[in-house]
């Protein structure tokens, strides 16, 4: 039978000799993790506030239901109680929907702020990497030129 050759060692040697700077990948991963953490914090704060609004709305509605369910002397009193409950419920709905809108507005503003800052950081990182790459290429070009023309090195020093 034919034995399958093991390419593990040649690939390890090739990757070891291949000049790769993983620090940029590490920095990118770290930046992404920090952005995710901040976005999650914004989402959790919004969820917490939304839950508080929902609980307050339910509590207010239940308190009004207590008033609605009390016994009345006249049939018209039931109609008035129902009308008052409906008016109060509409008012509560408007108040709580406005509170939800404020939560959504805050989430939107925080998200835009986070994304703008992340864009600025990414731009700064890209510029820094481009400068590093340019410097590295210039150094390699100088070394190659010096290797081809060893006499130029002495002329430059003179």
């Amino acid at each position: 039978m034919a034995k399958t050759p093991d390419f593990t060692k040649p690939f390890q040697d090739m990757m070891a000799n291949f000049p790769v700077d993983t620090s940029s990948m590490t920095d990118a991963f770290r930046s992404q993790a920090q952005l995710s953490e901040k976005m999650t914090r914004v989402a959790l704060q919004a969820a917490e506030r939304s839950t508080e609004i929902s609980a307050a709305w339910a509590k207010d509605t239940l308190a009004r239901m207590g008033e609605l369910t009390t016994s009345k002397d006249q049939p018209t009193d039931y109609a008035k109680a129902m009308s008052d409950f409906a008016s109060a419920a509409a008012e509560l709905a408007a108040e709580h929907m406005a509170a939800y809108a404020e939560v959504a507005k805050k989430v939107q503003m925080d998200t835009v702020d986070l994304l703008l800052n992340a864009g600025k950081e990414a731009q700064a990182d890209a510029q820094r990497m481009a400068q590093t790459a340019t410097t590295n290429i210039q150094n390699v070009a100088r070394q190659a030129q010096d290797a081809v023309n060893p006499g130029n090195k002495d002329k430059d020093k003179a």
Side-chain angles (χ1 to χ4, degrees), residues 78-119:
Y78 287 103
K80 182 174 179 350
M82 186 58 101
S83 175
D84 290 346
F85 177 77
S87 295
E91 187 178 314
L92 283 174
E95 289 175 17
H96 290 97
M97 292 307 289
Y100 282 127
E102 287 298 318
V103 170
K105 184 174 147 184
K106 183 176 181 341
V107 167
Q108 183 180 21
M109 289 173 30
D110 290 349
T111 301
V112 167
D113 186 45
L114 285 173
L115 292 178
L116 285 175
N117 288 336

Side-chain angles (χ1 to χ4, degrees), residues 67-68 70-84:
E67 297 168 11
L68 179 66
T70 58
S71 65
K72 314 284 189 257
D73 293 333
Q74 297 293 321
T76 56
D77 291 342
Y78 287 103
K80 182 174 179 350
M82 186 58 101
S83 175
D84 290 346

Side-chain angles (χ1 to χ4, degrees), residues 44-148:
L44 290 175
Q45 287 172 350
E48 182 179 352
R49 182 67 183 122
S50 294
T51 303
E52 290 170 1
I53 294 167
S54 294
W57 194 350
K59 188 175 180 179
D60 292 344
T61 301
L62 291 173
R64 303 249 191 251
M65 289 287 282
E67 297 168 11
L68 179 66
T69 58
T70 58
S71 65
K72 314 284 189 257
D73 293 333
Q74 297 293 321
T76 56
D77 291 342
Y78 287 103
K80 182 174 179 350
M82 186 58 101
S83 175
D84 290 346
F85 177 77
S87 295
E91 187 178 314
L92 283 174
E95 289 175 17
H96 290 97
M97 292 307 289
Y100 282 127
E102 287 298 318
V103 170
K105 184 174 147 184
K106 183 176 181 341
V107 167
Q108 183 180 21
M109 289 173 30
D110 290 349
T111 301
V112 167
D113 186 45
L114 285 173
L115 292 178
L116 285 175
N117 288 336
K120 288 177 186 175
E121 289 174 12
Q123 182 181 11
D125 289 345
Q127 185 176 5
R128 193 171 35 256
M129 285 190 299
Q131 288 173 343
T132 302
T134 302
T135 303
N136 290 344
I137 289 171
Q138 287 173 346
N139 290 339
V140 169
R142 264 192 225 108
Q143 290 172 358
Q145 187 176 15
D146 290 346
V148 171

Side-chain angles (χ1 to χ4, degrees), residues 3-41:
K3 185 177 178 186
T4 306
D6 184 17
F7 288 106
T8 305
K9 181 69 173 145
F11 273 109
Q12 286 175 343
D13 292 343
M14 180 183 71
M15 293 308 288
N17 292 326
F18 190 69
V20 175
D21 182 16
T22 59
S23 65
S24 61
M25 293 299 289
T26 303
D27 292 343
F29 179 79
R30 188 174 295 121
S31 296
Q32 183 62 39
Q34 289 171 350
L35 177 62
S36 295
E37 178 184 348
K38 291 173 186 175
M39 293 292 284
T40 302
R41 192 175 308 127

